Amino acid sequence: MRNIQHLAEKINKLKKEKNAVILGHCYQNAEIDLVADFVGDSLQLSRQAAQTDAKIIVFGGVYFMAETAKILSPEKKVLLPNIESGCRMADMVDLKQIKEFKEMYPNVPVVCYVNSSAEVKAEADICCTSANAVHVVKSMNVPKVLFAPDKYLGTYVGNQLPDVEVITYPGYCPTHLGILVEDVEKAKAEHPEAKVLVHPECHQAVTAFADYIGSTTGIMKYAKESDAKEFIIVTEKGVVDRLTRDYLEKKFYLVCKRAVCPNMKLNTLEDVLRVLETEENEVFVDEEIATKARKAIERMVAVN
């Protein structure tokens, strides 16, 4: 029988002794929040970690997030609780593939979603998040961009900016793309008064049902501030878990039981405790790649 509270107490004691900061992504198992210093989306977390004086960053997320934290905090030790927690979207494009994509459209600037590896970010002109993708592309003031790796976020951006041709790489998030039109229709039939909040990684046929389209943190902010009392959440289950916990006066419905990222759920409190104790699963980024990737991230930050 797991004693979650005991694990959390041991972790919170050890992180102080080691001057460590623990980050928890919104899609993680909610138990990670018991020890997390910050909870949010991947880039927000990496930036917060860079601003602390912690020597060790334990990133409760997936591999590309830990890489991003290392890029922004090269002097800090970055640990991933479960080294197997990768991102299926990020794995859809590697260095060879992004170079081939660029060669097909020479002299067209590249916008890279942060859900990608460091070496792919290093090939981009600028990075973006799901929260700022439209703003980033608009700020470039160009007629055409390449967008990688998420086809559906890129298509959403193109729909919002009809004067810009957004050429998308054929990557996608299997968890979000697994949410179907009939799932939303069923949820709406069961909860007709509920607002529908959708992540832009979903298929456009699904986002068409949305009362609001936004990033994980955008969805959570909308739900917090809205006068509505019921919400259908069309993104990963971790968002529903946290909203249900934090806003007892409102009701939140997960669009379907399949909306779970298996990789995001790999990290446990046992994993966090182990890497804090052993300092294993350290994440490294080649210095040359990190320098290039950092420039693309910094250009994005400068837009905000």
Side-chain angles (χ1 to χ4, degrees):
M1 185 77 176
R2 299 175 76 215
N3 188 330
I4 290 177
Q5 200 58 46
H6 178 63
L7 281 167
E9 288 170 3
K10 288 182 71 173
I11 291 166
N12 285 326
K13 181 175 182 287
L14 189 57
K15 75 179 180 183
K16 290 178 183 177
E17 293 173 1
K18 291 206 168 188
N19 190 16
V21 62
I22 299 175
L23 311 178
H25 191 273
C26 300
Y27 293 166
Q28 292 285 286
N29 292 303
E31 67 181 39
I32 300 295
D33 293 8
L34 294 172
V35 298
D37 298 282
F38 303 103
V39 178
D41 62 34
S42 60
L43 191 73
Q44 172 195 6
L45 292 174
S46 294
R47 290 168 68 181
Q48 285 174 320
Q51 292 165 9
T52 75
D53 62 359
K55 293 181 179 178
I56 297 173
I57 299 170
V58 179
F59 210 123
V62 294
Y63 196 88
F64 80 79
M65 298 178 184
E67 274 193 331
T68 305
K70 184 65 177 178
I71 290 166
L72 294 178
S73 301
E75 77 289 356
K76 296 178 181 178
K77 181 176 284 189
V78 179
L79 309 176
L80 190 63
N82 189 319
I83 204 67
E84 299 300 321
S85 57
C87 170
R88 291 180 291 174
M89 181 200 296
D91 290 344
M92 290 180 188
V93 59
D94 59 20
L95 181 60
K96 178 174 179 289
Q97 290 166 317
I98 192 67
K99 285 185 173 180
E100 288 172 350
F101 185 48
K102 290 171 67 174
E103 287 169 4
M104 290 170 63
Y105 305 94
N107 303 316
V108 179
V110 179
V111 181
C112 183
Y113 191 20
V114 291
N115 295 32
S116 55
S117 68
E119 62 183 10
V120 171
K121 289 183 179 73
E123 291 294 315
D125 294 279
I126 192 167
C127 285
C128 75
T129 69
S130 54
N132 66 15
V134 174
H135 188 50
V136 164
V137 173
K138 186 177 181 180
S139 75
M140 297 172 76
N141 197 29
V142 293
K144 184 185 299 186
V145 299
L146 303 184
F147 194 99
D150 187 10
K151 173 182 176 179
Y152 296 92
L153 178 59
T155 300
Y156 170 75
V157 171
N159 290 341
Q160 299 301 305
L161 300 173
D163 293 336
V164 182
E165 183 183 358
V166 180
I167 303 168
T168 57
Y169 182 86
Y172 59 91
C173 168
T175 298
H176 283 103
L177 204 62
I179 299 169
L180 308 176
V181 167
E182 46 263 45
D183 296 321
V184 186
E185 289 176 333
K186 182 174 183 290
K188 281 175 65 68
E190 292 173 353
H191 311 289
E193 301 302 315
K195 295 283 188 183
V196 180
L197 314 185
V198 183
H199 196 283
E201 288 179 16
C202 292
H203 193 284
Q204 272 60 58
V206 171
T207 58
F209 287 89
D211 294 293
Y212 172 81
I213 302 171
S215 65
T216 51
T217 48
I219 286 172
M220 295 173 84
K221 184 175 186 288
Y222 182 97
K224 174 185 177 182
E225 296 176 355
S226 173
D227 292 333
K229 297 299 182 184
E230 296 183 75
F231 303 87
I232 296 165
I233 305 299
V234 190
T235 188
E236 213 275 343
K237 179 178 179 290
V239 173
V240 175
D241 292 340
R242 287 163 177 80
L243 289 172
T244 301
R245 178 195 66 197
D246 295 341
Y247 305 106
L248 299 178
E249 73 283 6
K250 297 182 179 183
K251 292 183 179 180
F252 302 95
Y253 311 109
L254 183 64
V255 64
C256 66
K257 291 181 179 179
R258 297 187 310 281
V260 176
C261 175
N263 287 1
M264 277 287 192
K265 302 307 188 195
L266 289 176
N267 295 311
T268 65
L269 288 176
E270 287 87 351
D271 293 326
V272 174
L273 178 60
R274 186 185 69 257
V275 296
L276 266 178
E277 289 174 336
T278 65
E279 297 185 23
E280 62 187 59
N281 294 356
E282 184 173 358
V283 172
F284 299 94
V285 180
D286 175 84
E287 189 173 339
E288 183 179 351
I289 289 172
T291 299
K292 292 179 180 177
R294 191 178 303 115
K295 288 178 181 177
I297 295 170
E298 287 172 349
R299 289 190 193 107
M300 174 190 67
V301 173
V303 170
N304 293 336

